[in-house]
Amino acid sequence: DAKTTQPPSMDCAEGRAANLPCNHSTISGNEYVYWYRQIHSQGPQYIIHGLKNNETNEMASLIITEDRKSSTLILPHATLRDTAVYYCIVKATDSWGKLQFGAGTQVVVTP
Amino acid sequence: NAGVTQTPKFQVLKTGQSMTLQCAQDMNHNSMYWYRQDPGMGLRLIYYSASEGTTDKGEVPNGYNVSRLNKREFSLRLESAAPSQTSVYFCAINTSGGQGTQYFGPGTRLTVL
């Protein structure tokens, strides 16, 4: 059973912020939210993860709602190279790092 | 994808043939994983190895065997390939112990006729 729900696709204009939503209403207290992306034909790339606080790194920001039932990945200034499938994954800390990928969101950044 | 290498990059097999997909890392991490990705779908875990000498089944292990002979290498073997095993195979390492930050290899594209 899928633990996360993401829109199948979304478009974003180059230079604008891309806000990618993810619902994880059944998330448990020991589960983190992870985001990966996969550029066409390449292996997935880790972006960011968080438990309950908002997180930011050089690639993106992660906003997790207070009830932890949903989150948003923000790409602050989308570029054409950000065109990819983005996966939102929830994972417990004691599951030996096993990741369960869903279908993800296909993001297309247009000029 | 420096740090995790996979060989071969492409392979075409006939039904019933066998082959081994190789994965090697130079990042000195304990946990390694094999995933498959069918067209238009997310990745599914086949097998994983938490440390040298140990292996465990993932979500879709049927038709595959694995071997973790040393810390650096984790191989995936198809004993009798079937068309349903046509897929892209990704090897990954876990860079953060029990957490979920994984680093993926470039993949092996396998076609079984």
Side-chain angles (χ1 to χ4, degrees), chain A residues 32 34 36 38 40-46 49 87 91-103, chain B residues 1 31 33 35 37 40-43 45 48 50 57 59 90 94 97-102 104-106 109:
Chain A
Y32 283 71
Y34 289 82
Y36 280 75
Q38 186 175 25
H40 182 62
S41 299
Q42 298 181 20
Q45 176 189 23
Y46 164 79
H49 75 283
Y87 297 100
K91 195 198 80 64
T93 55
D94 59 351
S95 61
W96 285 108
K98 292 181 288 183
L99 298 175
Q100 188 169 10
F101 287 80
Chain B
N1 297 67
S31 301
Y33 307 80
Y35 294 86
Q37 184 174 33
M41 299 181 66
L43 282 71
L45 182 65
Y48 68 101
K57 296 178 181 179
E59 182 184 355
F90 291 101
N94 193 314
Q99 296 195 37
T101 50
Q102 294 187 9
F104 286 78
R109 283 146 185 82

Side-chain angles (χ1 to χ4, degrees), chain A residues 63-93:
Chain A
I63 308 298
I64 303 174
T65 57
E66 191 169 346
D67 63 7
R68 302 209 322 124
K69 292 185 177 182
S70 65
S71 60
T72 301
L73 179 74
I74 301 172
L75 308 177
H77 305 288
T79 70
L80 299 179
R81 290 176 295 179
D82 292 322
T83 292
V85 178
Y86 287 77
Y87 297 100
C88 171
I89 301 167
V90 296
K91 195 198 80 64
T93 55

Side-chain angles (χ1 to χ4, degrees), chain B residues 33-88:
Chain B
Y33 307 80
W34 275 106
Y35 294 86
R36 62 175 287 176
Q37 184 174 33
D38 299 332
M41 299 181 66
L43 282 71
R44 291 182 293 170
L45 182 65
I46 306 171
Y47 270 93
Y48 68 101
S49 171
S51 61
E52 179 181 347
T54 68
T55 60
D56 284 285
K57 296 178 181 179
E59 182 184 355
V60 288
N62 291 344
Y64 305 94
N65 286 304
V66 291
S67 178
R68 181 84 184 273
L69 295 179
N70 55 59
K71 190 172 186 178
R72 185 173 174 271
E73 298 171 296
F74 188 35
S75 61
L76 178 72
R77 182 162 178 83
L78 287 71
E79 291 291 351
S80 178
S84 61
Q85 294 178 304
T86 293
S87 191
V88 181

Side-chain angles (χ1 to χ4, degrees), chain A residues 2-5 22-28 31 65 67-71 90:
Chain A
K3 289 189 172 183
T4 64
T5 303
C22 180
N23 287 319
H24 31 78
S25 59
T26 61
I27 191 169
S28 301
E31 289 183 317
T65 57
D67 63 7
R68 302 209 322 124
K69 292 185 177 182
S70 65
S71 60
V90 296

